[in-house]
Amino acid sequence: MPAQFAASAPSSVTPPSWHALNPSEVFSVLSTGPQGLSGSEATRRLADLGPNELSFAKVSPWWRVLFRQFISPLIGILLVAAVVTLVQQHWVDAGAIVLILCINAALGFFQERKAEEAVRALQSLASPTCRVLRDGSEQVIPGRDVVRGEVVLLESGERVSADLRLFEANGLQVDESMLTGESFAASKHTAALPADVSDADKTNVAFSGTFVGNGRGKGVVIATGASTALGEINALVQGPTGKSPLQLLTHSLERRIGLIVLAAIVFIFIAGLVLGNDVSTMFRTAVGLAVASIPESLPIVLTVALSLGVSRMARRNAIVRTLPAVETLGSTNVIGSDKTGTLTENRLTVERIWTSDGTVDVSAGDDGGSTDSPLVRAVLRAGALTNEATLSAEDDDLEYSGDAVDAAMALTAVVRAAISEAERTAEPAAHQPYEPHLRYSQTVQQDAAGRRTLYVKGSPEAVLAGAVVLAVPGGTVPLDEAQVHAANEAMGRDGLRVIATGSRILADSEELPSPLPPPSGLTFLGMEGMTDPPRAGVADAIVKCRRAGIKVMMITGDHPVTATAIAGRLGLSTDKPALTGAEMADLDDQMLAARILQTSVAARVSPVEKLRIVRALQANGKVVAVTGDGVNDAPALKAAAIGVAMGKSGTDVARESSDVVLTDDNFVTIVHAVEEGRVTFSAVRKTTFFLLSTGTAALVAVTLSVFAEVPLLFLPVQMLWMNVVTNGAQDIALTFEPAEGDELTRPPREPSEGILSRTLWFRAGITGCWMALAVTLTFIVALHNGYTETHARTFALTMFVVLTFFQVHSSRAENKSFFQLRLLANKPLLFTSLAAQTLHWAVQTWPVSADLLGLTPLRPWEWLLCIGIGSTVLIIVEAEKGVRRWAHRHDTPPA
């Protein structure tokens, strides 16, 4: 997120390293000064450089988006079939095909238009107005009118309107978590920095879109609009959205099905003509066969399956914004997670308190401080009295607002009864707020007896500088700085932010000048170590991910030490050092991919570097899910196969760039979503197998009958009816198949595997051919036994309908035996499959429908024969499953 130099000079000129220049040098380069620009100069620069706005890609016209929904071989064949059936006045079938096409197009149109709105959320971060110096006086101007070289004034509560090089800073702290992922507010100063510091360490620059938490300052604008850090993120977010694995697989399958069916019907049409059939009959046959063999309900099946997944995920606190995301989580094999607010609570918490008497872990349990020693209570009390946090909620859980460090120390002291809220908020006799350059704050409190005590809190080094003795049980001893430094380093290695406290009783005659002088003569009380703690349950969720074959990687802008410490507590591997943005600069893409596989932590990375990590993983064949809540996560969220944003603490930009939003901001929910994704893909896979096997059976059966030199196996209208009764609602009902229970113990599906595994392709082939052979032989044998063509066709068509009944039930499980499944586990499937048989019986029995379709009633023994032969498809599938289980059992090497 480097701030780019948006000057009128040619773009080939390398922009200055603003953070490495002194303020006077920055003014010189920008031809401005501490008093800002004149009004006329600002107007000229605005005309030359353009407004301080983010640019957005033009939205595609609605008609072009709609047209794209029909670019598919499968859709093309269905369009032709719809036109032909309309010409032939088969209104019901034509209407069904057109309805399927319209629903599919509408869903695709809606999702694509919705995706284009993602980048608009960045506009919410633009500052509508800001305060600037023009002609030497303060003015309030629209944020879009800010120009390079402008002097901008900053105060607590304001949003930064452009990238600024600061030249005045008084206790200025800026919340940059949306850009850096850092949970602590960044303390700002004005001194020049080394040229090679990372973006997150540019402490003399305020970035556009960030929020001023405390203090005030002045800065000169070094970049506006698209040239800012926010502008660069905006450019990345507007890049192409990554396609989900299911979308890629579906498009590939559609092309293959379309080409195979098209080639088959052309071949059958020509063969039928050669064998003496008339053109009209063969043309109608080809159209009917196309409709019967093409799984035109596949788009609806996918939509229903994904919609069911959406509903199940919503019940588990995951809101799905794009339907394909349901399945994508199931095929994910890498989760790149942001740390702050995702793996952690995004709330500073005091975890340890060090005194000369030892270290106390105050996060281990809540005993209300009843066992705290006097030394621990003194440390807590000093931290709470030198404090500016305010109580914002007082329900079952206290909640403090203000500086994160102050809020954490105040909460711990009050909860552990080291101090009351009334004591904490009592008016001090004197107070000096925290100053970043001083690295301490101090307060003088007076008790009821009139005794005044100076309390100091700050960095251990700053408090040590004013301390002379160390508090011990029952008194004090000479200060041992080595002991304090060792304790500080120990907590620092564990990723804790350490704040020290000290105190001194003031003499009655001692005056209190303003401002207070540097503290001296202090008793060093102890130190509080705080961190942003891991969310409850995240460590267990990571274990489940590992068991499911999913690698979890922390990708954060936070400091490597902090990130590594949190990673260790979460159970992520810390054997290898964290990958950093500075290290990435020296690695090419192949070296980066290899380095990523060695570590589970990437720290101090910018949005561009996060995006590069995602693309490196994708280039390595990984299906990557990215989680996050900040603006800095948006480019990676959009580029990943699936982006998962936090719903409660996340920014609008992150949510709009994502595919899934977690309403509870809990990483644990992702594990539930992964499970539901795998259930959803399994349902899609089972239904696709059923549709392809029955379509193959229809295609092969008609082909065999053409070359057998017998009358047409099915009339065109019968093929259309067969398509309705054999697929109809059964394929949709199959998507309601519940989980088999082992979803999180299986490894992720290989991306090269496709929607169907090799096992299912083989199974679809053998069952499809067997069904085709059974139907064709039924027709031929019936003719040879003197059946009329109408009776023989009815017999063959009924055989096909019954075979599909057993086939749809054999499709319920890929590996489990059908007899291990509960019959009523999928009630919609049982009812719709039975209803299909009943409907077919009713149609051939009712004279009106029988005449329309060219059918005749079958005798009971003929139905029993169809049931007997139809059940063989179930036997074939069960035998094939049994053979595979036996083979796998014998393939397993001895332990």
Side-chain angles (χ1 to χ4, degrees):
M1 57 174 194
Q4 302 296 318
F5 181 42
S8 56
S11 59
S12 60
V13 176
T14 303
S17 297
W18 299 109
H19 60 279
L21 301 179
N22 291 319
S24 59
E25 295 173 313
V26 175
F27 288 133
S28 176
V29 173
L30 295 174
S31 300
T32 185
Q35 298 304 309
L37 302 172
S38 65
S40 58
E41 177 61 16
T43 302
R44 186 191 69 79
R45 294 192 183 194
L46 181 63
D48 289 344
L49 302 176
N52 178 32
E53 293 178 330
L54 300 180
S55 58
F56 297 95
K58 293 182 178 179
V59 177
S60 300
W62 68 267
W63 56 268
R64 185 172 296 171
V65 176
L66 184 61
F67 176 75
R68 283 200 291 264
Q69 311 311 314
F70 295 94
I71 302 176
S72 162
L74 192 61
I75 297 298
I77 293 175
L78 290 178
L79 283 171
V80 173
V83 172
V84 173
T85 51
L86 282 171
V87 171
Q88 294 180 327
Q89 299 183 353
H90 295 291
W91 308 117
V92 174
D93 298 293
I97 298 172
V98 170
L99 179 62
I100 290 170
L101 291 171
C102 289
I103 292 176
N104 183 58
L107 289 171
F109 177 83
F110 173 76
Q111 293 297 338
E112 190 168 339
R113 294 288 285 187
K114 188 177 181 181
E116 290 178 339
E117 297 175 1
V119 297
R120 304 296 165 184
L122 283 165
Q123 290 178 314
S124 66
L125 296 177
S127 176
T129 61
C130 70
R131 297 180 301 117
V132 300
L133 287 179
R134 284 190 180 175
D135 297 313
S137 62
E138 180 179 327
Q139 299 181 24
V140 178
I141 65 171
R144 69 184 304 275
D145 291 345
V146 173
V147 297
R148 185 175 58 84
E150 195 97 67
V151 170
V152 175
L153 310 179
L154 299 177
E155 276 191 358
S156 176
E158 294 181 336
R159 191 174 294 280
V160 181
S161 57
D163 285 359
L164 312 177
R165 171 60 169 90
L166 299 170
F167 64 90
E168 282 188 20
N170 184 4
L172 185 63
Q173 293 186 304
V174 180
D175 180 0
E176 297 179 340
S177 59
M178 69 172 193
L179 289 174
T180 65
E182 183 80 61
S183 54
F184 307 113
S187 296
K188 297 295 184 178
H189 60 78
T190 62
L193 297 169
D196 59 351
V197 299
S198 65
D199 297 327
D201 293 322
K202 293 177 180 175
T203 50
N204 57 13
V205 175
F207 294 101
S208 176
T210 57
F211 191 78
V212 179
N214 286 301
R216 59 188 182 276
K218 294 181 182 179
V220 58
V221 176
I222 54 178
T224 61
S227 299
T228 62
L230 193 61
E232 182 174 335
I233 294 176
N234 173 62
L236 295 173
V237 169
Q238 294 189 80
T241 301
K243 288 187 177 296
S244 75
L246 185 61
Q247 289 174 311
L248 297 173
L249 294 177
T250 302
H251 293 164
S252 174
L253 183 62
E254 286 181 347
R255 286 193 297 269
R256 293 169 66 181
I257 294 174
L259 293 174
I260 291 172
V261 171
L262 185 61
I265 61 178
V266 169
F267 175 75
I268 291 172
F269 177 77
I270 296 174
L273 294 180
V274 172
L275 294 174
N277 293 293
D278 63 274
V279 174
S280 176
T281 299
M282 290 311 302
F283 187 77
R284 293 174 58 216
T285 299
V287 171
L289 183 59
V291 176
S293 57
I294 287 179
E296 71 272 10
S297 60
L298 185 58
I300 296 298
V301 166
L302 292 175
T303 301
V304 171
L306 296 175
S307 297
L308 288 172
V310 167
S311 177
R312 291 193 296 263
M313 284 187 180
R315 290 196 293 269
R316 305 183 83 167
N317 300 316
I319 305 301
V320 177
R321 300 182 67 251
T322 57
L323 283 180
V326 178
E327 183 278 330
T328 306
L329 269 175
S331 58
T332 294
N333 47 34
V334 176
I335 297 177
S337 178
D338 180 44
K339 177 185 74 69
T340 305
T342 308
L343 298 174
T344 64
E345 295 180 0
N346 196 18
R347 177 179 59 86
L348 273 185
T349 301
V350 176
E351 292 203 345
R352 295 183 205 168
I353 298 176
W354 179 89
T355 66
S356 62
D357 204 23
T359 302
V360 177
D361 185 353
V362 296
S363 67
D366 185 12
D367 58 1
S370 59
T371 60
D372 289 345
S373 68
L375 287 180
V376 169
R377 295 173 66 84
V379 172
L380 291 172
R381 185 177 180 84
L385 288 172
T386 314
N387 199 293
E388 296 181 0
T390 57
L391 183 63
S392 56
E394 188 175 6
D395 299 319
D396 294 335
D397 295 321
L398 295 175
E399 185 175 331
Y400 288 88
S401 59
D403 178 77
V405 171
D406 282 356
M409 298 180 82
L411 176 64
T412 304
V414 173
V415 167
R416 301 189 73 82
I419 191 172
S420 68
E421 182 63 20
E423 289 178 284
R424 196 188 70 81
T425 55
E427 186 69 24
H431 175 67
Q432 181 179 13
Y434 178 84
E435 296 285 356
H437 65 283
L438 297 177
R439 304 182 69 189
Y440 64 79
S441 62
Q442 52 183 340
T443 294
V444 176
Q445 294 283 351
Q446 184 170 326
D447 61 20
R451 185 177 62 175
R452 298 176 303 166
T453 304
L454 171 69
Y455 294 99
V456 179
K457 85 170 191 306
S459 70
E461 294 80 8
V463 177
L464 278 173
V468 293
V469 293
L470 175 66
V472 297
T476 61
V477 297
L479 182 63
D480 183 354
E481 293 192 14
Q483 181 185 8
V484 175
H485 284 307
N488 180 29
E489 290 173 3
M491 286 196 283
R493 283 194 299 270
D494 289 337
L496 300 180
R497 181 170 183 176
V498 182
I499 301 295
T501 59
S503 67
R504 177 170 66 88
I505 297 176
L506 301 181
D508 293 339
S509 60
E510 190 169 348
E511 296 182 358
L512 299 177
S514 180
L516 291 171
S520 60
L522 297 176
T523 297
F524 192 95
L525 298 174
M527 297 179 288
E528 297 185 44
M530 58 194 73
T531 188
D532 182 8
R535 285 182 174 274
V538 170
D540 291 337
I542 290 175
V543 171
K544 290 182 179 179
C545 285
R546 189 179 299 117
R547 190 181 303 132
I550 301 171
K551 175 179 179 176
V552 178
M553 184 175 185
M554 180 192 295
I555 307 175
T556 178
D558 215 337
H559 194 279
V561 172
T562 304
T564 301
I566 295 294
R569 296 174 63 178
L570 292 173
L572 295 175
S573 174
T574 56
D575 295 340
K576 298 290 184 180
L579 173 69
T580 64
E583 181 185 353
M584 287 177 61
D586 298 326
L587 301 176
D588 60 27
D589 290 343
Q590 285 187 326
M591 295 170 65
L592 175 61
R595 178 71 173 87
I596 291 173
L597 296 177
Q598 296 176 348
T599 186
S600 296
V601 181
R604 269 297 187 256
V605 292
S606 69
V608 175
E609 290 158 346
K610 284 189 179 187
L611 182 60
R612 188 182 171 201
I613 289 173
V614 171
R615 288 176 174 166
L617 287 167
Q618 290 173 329
N620 210 30
K622 303 297 183 183
V623 179
V624 184
V626 170
T627 75
D629 61 353
V631 176
N632 59 320
D633 301 311
L637 286 170
K638 185 171 176 118
I642 180 168
V644 183
M646 303 299 109
K648 291 172 63 178
S649 62
T651 62
D652 288 341
V653 181
R655 286 192 290 268
E656 291 297 333
S657 300
S658 67
D659 305 290
V660 176
V661 177
L662 305 183
T663 59
D664 58 358
D665 286 14
N666 198 337
F667 182 86
V668 178
T669 303
I670 298 176
V671 179
H672 301 322
V674 167
E675 182 180 9
E676 295 297 347
R678 293 187 175 186
V679 172
T680 299
F681 182 79
S682 181
V684 171
R685 168 172 277 184
K686 294 168 184 175
T687 308
T688 303
F689 161 74
F690 169 67
L691 290 172
L692 290 183
S693 62
T694 54
T696 299
L699 198 62
V700 173
V702 172
T703 303
L704 289 175
S705 69
V706 169
F707 285 94
E709 297 188 1
V710 294
L712 286 177
L713 176 60
F714 300 126
L715 299 176
V717 68
Q718 291 173 338
M719 283 188 280
L720 296 172
W721 167 251
M722 181 174 66
N723 182 64
V724 172
V725 76
T726 58
N727 295 337
Q730 294 179 81
D731 47 4
I732 296 176
L734 189 55
T735 62
F736 286 81
E737 190 65 28
E740 295 182 36
D742 61 346
E743 282 74 18
L744 288 181
T745 60
R746 298 194 302 259
R749 186 188 78 257
E750 290 293 332
S752 59
E753 189 173 69
I755 289 185
L756 296 187
S757 63
R758 291 181 179 179
T759 297
L760 289 183
W761 274 114
F762 173 77
R763 192 178 296 168
I766 61 172
T767 55
C769 290
W770 168 247
M771 292 166 67
L773 183 61
V775 170
T776 306
L777 288 177
T778 298
F779 182 62
I780 294 175
V781 171
L783 289 176
H784 283 200
N785 281 278
Y787 280 47
T788 64
E789 289 185 15
T790 299
H791 197 165
R793 288 193 179 104
T794 304
F795 205 172
L797 183 60
T798 302
M799 181 66 72
F800 194 96
V801 171
V802 175
L803 281 164
T804 58
F805 171 84
F806 288 100
Q807 178 71 332
V808 76
H809 285 280
S810 74
S811 304
R812 290 181 57 193
E814 182 176 353
N815 299 307
K816 273 188 176 181
S817 169
F818 167 77
F819 300 103
Q820 292 179 296
L821 305 176
R822 292 188 300 111
L823 183 63
L824 297 179
N826 190 342
K827 292 180 182 178
L829 178 62
L830 180 62
F831 295 152
T832 55
S833 58
L834 290 174
Q837 309 303 306
T838 304
L839 181 62
H840 182 66
W841 170 82
V843 164
Q844 65 181 242
T845 304
W846 187 36
V848 176
S849 56
D851 289 342
L852 181 65
L853 296 176
L855 302 175
T856 189
L858 294 182
R859 293 183 285 272
W861 72 266
E862 291 170 329
W863 271 97
L864 289 175
L865 181 61
C866 289
I867 293 172
I869 297 176
S871 64
T872 58
V873 72
L874 182 60
I875 296 172
I876 291 172
V877 172
E878 286 300 308
E880 186 262 347
K881 289 180 182 178
V883 169
R884 287 188 182 276
R885 285 194 293 268
W886 179 84
H888 287 314
R889 191 164 54 243
H890 285 267
D891 285 344
T892 303

